[in-house]
Amino acid sequence: MIIEFSQGRMILSPFEIQVRLNAPGVVLQAMVEDIKLCREVLVLSADAGAVSWSLKLDNPRQADELIDFIGEQILL
């Protein structure tokens, strides 16, 4: 599944997420078990120990699409 947002696009699979930013060559990647979504502020974050990243979603619809595809286990 692909979700477009203002900073690029998210490519979702049942096991991982890739965030391809609009900047050339920038890709953020994380396993689904390392992803969390704070729905109230629309922030998606990944924390895999030594590597972490976060990004702001544009709207609640994008958060809903993430939850529908990956599941509620990503909610904080």
Side-chain angles (χ1 to χ4, degrees), residues 7-26:
Q7 299 175 61
R9 63 184 177 186
M10 293 176 275
I11 302 168
L12 309 175
S13 81
F15 307 105
E16 72 175 355
I17 182 171
Q18 286 187 9
V19 180
R20 295 185 181 259
L21 298 177
N22 292 332
V26 179

Side-chain angles (χ1 to χ4, degrees), residues 1 3 10 12 37-40 42 44 57-72 74-75:
M1 173 180 209
I3 300 174
M10 293 176 275
L12 309 175
L37 174 66
C38 185
R39 181 136 184 13
E40 294 79 26
L42 299 175
L44 180 68
L57 301 177
D58 298 328
N59 56 58
R61 180 188 53 79
Q62 294 164 337
D64 291 340
E65 289 177 3
L66 278 165
I67 293 166
D68 289 345
F69 188 82
I70 296 174
E72 292 187 3
I74 66 170
L75 291 172

